[in-house]
Amino acid sequence: MDRQDFTRIARERAVPWRRVAYLICGDWGRAEDLVQAALLRMYKHWHRIEPRGLEAYARKVISRLALDEAKRASRRKEVLGEVPDRPAAQFDEEVDGAPEVRAALKAMPPRQRAVIVLRFYADLDVAATAKALGITQGTVKSQCSRGLDSLRAALGPHHAALATRTPERTGGSR
């Protein structure tokens, strides 16, 4: 089989493979991503794939990719015994306390404010925040800790539920 065969087969089989991926993962968007990743792997190893084993190989690659993704996702999940640090709603005027939170954020040093906003409003993890700001992960953690302390002090007991614990102190990376 040559590269033209790959193109033809990929066009013919992409939709059925996406259905298989959907049944495995339960999400059409993720299913499409899984098929694209599987096609990429198949393309890399096309010269070694036996034509009669193509369907089985495709299903195997799709399944393994889906399972690997699920394992990674389950490792990122964490069980919280109390309210998380980030709000459930956007910082709109309707959210109780939003003006006070915005005022407290404005009072923070710029890097501290950027860390808090990226971590808890944009929902980035420590590594992504560090990369976005061009600083180390340790700096993100220390700035986050100081920023949350600053928010607690500025907002007082009225907003005691805000950041009752920081992710860094619990051992997580979020």
Side-chain angles (χ1 to χ4, degrees), residues 103-170:
L105 285 170
K106 284 181 183 179
M108 287 182 183
R111 183 165 43 180
Q112 213 173 72
R113 180 175 53 242
V115 167
I116 294 295
V117 169
L118 289 177
R119 289 279 286 120
F120 300 105
Y121 183 75
D123 201 25
L124 297 182
D125 64 13
V126 172
T129 301
K131 185 175 180 180
L133 296 176
I135 58 179
T136 67
Q137 290 185 27
T139 301
V140 169
K141 290 177 182 181
S142 66
Q143 292 294 303
C144 185
S145 178
R146 290 181 189 129
L148 289 173
D149 288 344
S150 176
L151 278 176
R152 285 185 200 107
L155 297 175
H158 174 66
H159 296 283
L162 175 69
T164 56
R165 67 185 179 98
T166 60
E168 295 80 29
R169 293 182 189 143
T170 62

Side-chain angles (χ1 to χ4, degrees), residues 39-147:
L39 286 171
L40 180 62
R41 285 195 184 177
M42 291 169 65
Y43 184 79
K44 287 179 182 178
H45 303 288
W46 191 247
H47 62 281
R48 296 190 322 220
I49 299 174
E50 292 289 327
R52 67 177 185 265
L54 179 64
E55 284 298 315
Y57 184 79
R59 285 191 302 270
K60 181 169 121 178
V61 171
I62 291 167
S63 299
R64 287 187 179 175
L65 288 169
L67 294 175
D68 288 347
E69 181 182 301
K71 286 178 193 173
R72 283 191 306 274
S74 69
R75 283 188 215 131
R76 289 186 296 238
K77 290 180 184 174
E78 57 185 288
V79 177
L80 301 175
E82 48 193 87
V83 178
D85 291 339
R86 66 188 89 88
Q90 300 292 325
F91 280 116
D92 294 331
E93 290 297 326
E94 297 82 37
V95 176
D96 184 40
E100 293 89 358
V101 173
R102 280 195 300 275
L105 285 170
K106 284 181 183 179
M108 287 182 183
R111 183 165 43 180
Q112 213 173 72
R113 180 175 53 242
V115 167
I116 294 295
V117 169
L118 289 177
R119 289 279 286 120
F120 300 105
Y121 183 75
D123 201 25
L124 297 182
D125 64 13
V126 172
T129 301
K131 185 175 180 180
L133 296 176
I135 58 179
T136 67
Q137 290 185 27
T139 301
V140 169
K141 290 177 182 181
S142 66
Q143 292 294 303
C144 185
S145 178
R146 290 181 189 129

